[in-house]
């Protein structure tokens, strides 16, 4: 039989429940990617064409053009090549303000900036006073210097805090804006005479990215059990002393417990016990009276500004002494063989202490202190003891304003740290002009009792002959 005609004449029943593959719905077009902002991790500017490079070299950034015109042309061209959202624009505007440049003015919105429209008008004699009252660069070189590193340090140490707080992500974006602009200045050879200064400003950005998280970590660990216990022992502790630190941080209270070095729950200990036990374990002498009591006395209190010069972490021998510090726990149960009672000891769980060596410095902040700072010799070493965790977060060069207590033996401890600043902290005079408004002439007369708007002054009744008012 022919296999091709084997089933001729057969009728097949239709299958009603045969699965039908649904048709795919046409999706909309692919989502367009949002344009790059210029601050992505691997973003790079497009290569400069030979024509554009020649134009920058001969027309825009030629050495014969004044620096003020070159840098402001660079600022305009940089902003046209970056997408600054509201947050990034606020960082960049504040950074430019510290450099004496207003980026919110109309000239920065003009397309033909390259014609020199942004150059500040040089004030003449008639309006010299008005120019002197200006918050921004007025075209005179008097009292103004080119300092890329100084402006970057001022922005990243003082201005950045009100803008970003202590959050890591906004701080990283603020640093990235400054870093991106500085790299643009170097890439386009805007001011080769200041290339080293721009490189120094980039180093400040790297330090800010590293030091700010360490400063915040240090503040969260302050005060540490030792310094708090010392202040409580000599009755100088105040509730507002350590407003910088988090109550749940790793510093711990002066008289509280905590965890011992082996992870067990440490017993509660008095501030005196914590202070004197730590002092002995750290190798510091404790003079005693005839009856065996401590002869340490508080002899001096002062406030000073200091810069960290070196850190000495505790050695293995000191760590061993602290590990053996324990508090007796009384008698335990008797042993099965009748050998008597055994005493249990709970470790205090105190961290080993190391040394931080500071030198006097000056921290400017624009405020007038009611109580002046102590004038220490510039070469005097000021040594404090801190726990190992606190020392690990410190950065050489960091600056602090400390309230210090000195004992009869010359030993000093920290009552409180008023401020903790990174090593690149810089306060610029321009910070004082942030909210300054120049005075304006006003022809309106001052309020008077005769203009009908000021409240009438009631006359006091005259006293009678006996001295009584009527």
């Amino acid at each position: 039989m022919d296999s091709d005609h084997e089933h001729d004449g057969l009728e097949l029943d239709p299958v009603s429940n045969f699965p039908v593959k649904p048709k795919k719905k046409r999706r909309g077009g692919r989502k367009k990617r949002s344009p790059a902002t210029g601050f992505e991790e691997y973003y790079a500017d497009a290569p400069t064409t030979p024509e554009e490079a020649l134009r920058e070299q001969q027309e825009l950034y030629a050495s014969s053009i004044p620096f003020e015109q070159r840098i402001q042309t660079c600022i305009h061209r940089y902003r046209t090549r970056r997408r600054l959202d509201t947050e990034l624009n606020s960082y960049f505007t504040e950074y430019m303000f510290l450099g004496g440049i207003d980026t919110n003015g109309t000239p920065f919105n003009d397309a033909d900036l390259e014609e020199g429209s942004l150059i500040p008008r040089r004030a003449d004699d008639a309006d010299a006073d008005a120019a002197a009252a200006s918050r921004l660069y007025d075209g005179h070189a008097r009292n103004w210097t080119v300092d890329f590193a100084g402006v970057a340090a001022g922005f990243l140490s003082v201005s950045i805090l009100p803008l970003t707080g202590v959050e890591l992500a906004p701080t990283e974006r603020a640093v990235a804006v400054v870093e991106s602009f500085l790299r643009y200045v170097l890439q386009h050879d805007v001011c080769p005479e200041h290339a080293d200064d721009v490189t120094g400003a980039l180093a400040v950005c790297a330090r800010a990215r590293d030091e700010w998280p360490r400063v915040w970590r240090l503040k969260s660990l302050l005060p540490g059990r030792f310094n708090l216990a010392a202040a409580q022992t000599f009755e100088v502790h105040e509730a507002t002393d350590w407003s910088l630190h988090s109550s749940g941080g790793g510093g711990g209270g002066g008289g509280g417990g905590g965890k011992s070095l082996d992870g067990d729950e440490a017993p509660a200990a008095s501030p005196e016990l914590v202070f004197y036990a730590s002092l002995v374990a750290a190798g510091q002498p404790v003079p005693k009276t005839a009856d065996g009591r401590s002869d340490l006395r508080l002899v001096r209190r002062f406030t000073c500004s200091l810069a960290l010069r070196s850190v000495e972490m505790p050695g293995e021998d000191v760590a061993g002494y602290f590990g053996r510090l324990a508090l007796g726990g009384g008698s335990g149960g008797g042993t099965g063989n009748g050998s008597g009672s055994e005493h249990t000891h709970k470790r205090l769980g105190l961290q080993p202490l190391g040394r931080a060596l500071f030198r006097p410095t000056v921290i400017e902040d624009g405020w007038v202190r009611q109580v002046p700072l102590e004038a220490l010799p510039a070469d005097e070493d000021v040594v404090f003891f801190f726990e190992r965790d606190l020392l690990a977060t410190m950065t050489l060069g960091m600056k602090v304003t400390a309230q210090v207590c000195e004992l009869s033996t010359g030993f000093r401890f920290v009552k409180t740290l008023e401020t903790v600043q990174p090593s690149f902290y810089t306060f610029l005079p321009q910070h004082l002009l942030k909210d300054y408004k120049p005075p304006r002439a006003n022809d309106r007369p001052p309020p008077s009792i005769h203009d009908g708007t000021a409240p009438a002054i009631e006359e006091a009744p005259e006293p009678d002959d006996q001295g009584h008012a009527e």
Side-chain angles (χ1 to χ4, degrees):
M1 181 180 290
D2 188 358
S3 59
D4 295 337
H5 303 283
E6 182 178 0
H7 302 291
D8 287 350
L10 294 179
E11 294 182 2
L12 301 177
D13 296 332
V15 179
S16 59
N17 60 347
F18 190 83
V20 179
K21 189 175 182 181
K23 293 183 178 180
K24 290 184 179 179
K25 294 182 180 180
R26 294 187 61 184
R27 296 181 180 178
R30 290 186 178 181
K31 248 187 177 179
K32 292 184 178 179
R33 292 184 179 179
S34 57
T37 63
F39 298 95
E40 289 77 11
E41 183 177 0
Y42 298 105
Y43 178 85
D45 284 317
T48 304
T49 62
E51 294 78 8
E52 185 178 358
L54 186 62
R55 181 168 177 262
E56 288 183 354
Q57 184 179 3
Q58 297 181 352
E59 298 180 20
L60 302 180
Y61 307 131
S63 58
S64 58
I65 300 176
F67 169 78
E68 294 85 354
Q69 181 174 344
R70 281 181 283 152
I71 193 61
Q72 294 189 62
T73 301
C74 169
I75 293 170
H76 177 80
R77 290 171 63 83
Y78 170 78
R79 293 189 62 154
T80 59
R81 287 158 175 76
R82 298 292 186 272
R83 296 176 60 87
L84 299 176
D85 57 20
T86 304
E87 179 191 6
L88 299 180
N89 184 66
S90 66
Y91 301 151
F92 189 72
T93 300
E94 181 71 14
Y95 170 56
M96 288 290 109
F97 168 77
L98 288 184
I101 300 174
D102 184 9
T103 59
N104 289 323
T106 303
F108 273 93
N109 298 324
D110 289 342
D112 44 78
L113 171 89
E114 293 135 8
E115 300 300 326
S117 60
L118 275 184
I119 303 308
R121 178 175 57 86
R122 185 173 294 276
D124 52 23
D125 296 337
D127 52 12
D129 294 336
S134 174
R135 303 185 308 150
L136 305 167
Y137 181 69
D138 58 6
H140 288 287
R142 182 182 65 254
N143 300 329
W144 290 88
T145 57
V146 179
D147 188 359
F148 283 92
V151 174
F155 173 75
L156 296 175
S157 61
V158 178
S159 301
I160 196 174
L161 291 179
L163 296 173
T164 65
V166 294
E167 297 184 20
L168 182 58
T171 301
E172 172 64 30
R173 289 192 289 269
V175 175
V177 169
V178 179
E179 201 171 43
S180 172
F181 173 73
L182 295 172
R183 293 190 185 282
Y184 186 89
V185 172
L186 287 180
Q187 178 183 358
H188 293 270
D189 207 16
V190 176
C191 46
E193 68 274 23
H194 300 293
D196 292 340
D197 192 17
V198 177
T199 304
L202 285 171
V204 172
C205 294
R207 290 164 65 186
R209 189 175 280 112
D210 172 68
E211 290 190 30
W212 272 123
R214 297 169 67 90
V215 170
W216 299 332
R217 174 64 175 164
L218 174 62
K219 289 182 178 182
S220 70
L221 293 176
L222 288 172
R225 293 183 70 182
F226 174 73
N227 284 285
L228 184 56
Q232 292 173 337
T233 299
F234 294 95
E235 299 180 350
V236 295
H237 172 67
E238 299 176 39
T240 57
D241 278 349
W242 296 102
S243 57
L244 289 176
H245 90 294
S246 170
S247 59
K259 295 288 185 180
S260 64
L261 298 181
D262 54 6
D264 297 333
E265 192 71 22
S270 66
E272 293 83 0
L273 176 60
V274 172
F275 172 70
Y276 286 110
S278 300
L279 210 60
V280 172
Q284 293 298 306
V286 179
K288 295 183 179 181
T289 59
D291 57 355
R293 300 180 63 85
S294 170
D295 195 28
L296 284 176
R297 301 180 309 278
L298 182 65
V299 297
R300 184 185 178 197
R301 290 174 58 179
F302 59 93
T303 303
C304 59
S305 294
L306 305 167
L308 182 63
R309 291 291 301 274
S310 64
V311 170
E312 181 181 335
M313 299 296 287
E316 294 183 1
D317 52 344
V318 174
Y321 293 147
F322 275 87
R324 290 191 293 270
L325 291 176
L327 188 64
S331 60
T335 59
N337 54 12
S339 59
S341 62
E342 61 177 7
H343 293 275
T344 60
H345 299 276
K346 290 188 176 181
R347 294 184 181 179
L348 291 178
L350 301 179
Q351 278 202 32
L353 295 179
R355 294 157 42 99
L357 188 148
F358 292 84
R359 283 282 179 88
T361 189
V362 177
I363 302 179
E364 297 179 343
D365 56 8
W367 295 95
V368 177
R369 294 185 61 93
Q370 298 298 326
V371 180
L373 299 178
E374 186 80 5
L376 299 176
D379 58 348
E380 181 177 352
D381 292 337
V382 182
V383 180
F384 299 123
F385 280 68
F386 289 100
E387 281 81 0
R388 181 170 50 194
D389 285 355
L390 274 73
L391 294 173
T393 63
M394 295 182 180
T395 306
L396 296 184
M398 61 173 284
K399 302 175 182 179
V400 300
T401 301
Q403 294 183 19
V404 183
C405 294
E406 185 174 327
L407 303 182
S408 53
T409 59
F411 180 83
R412 293 167 174 171
F413 65 87
V414 177
K415 178 180 179 289
T416 184
L417 293 181
E418 295 181 0
T419 59
V420 180
Q421 302 291 355
S423 63
F424 55 89
Y425 175 85
T426 304
F427 186 84
L428 301 174
Q430 189 72 352
H431 284 117
L432 298 174
L433 295 176
K434 175 64 177 176
D435 299 316
Y436 171 78
K437 293 182 179 179
R440 296 182 303 173
N442 189 357
D443 297 332
R444 185 176 61 183
S448 171
I449 59 174
H450 303 292
D451 58 11
T453 58
I457 301 176
E458 297 183 1
E459 294 183 359
E462 296 181 0
D464 56 13
D465 295 338
Q466 285 77 25
H468 299 289
E470 296 180 354

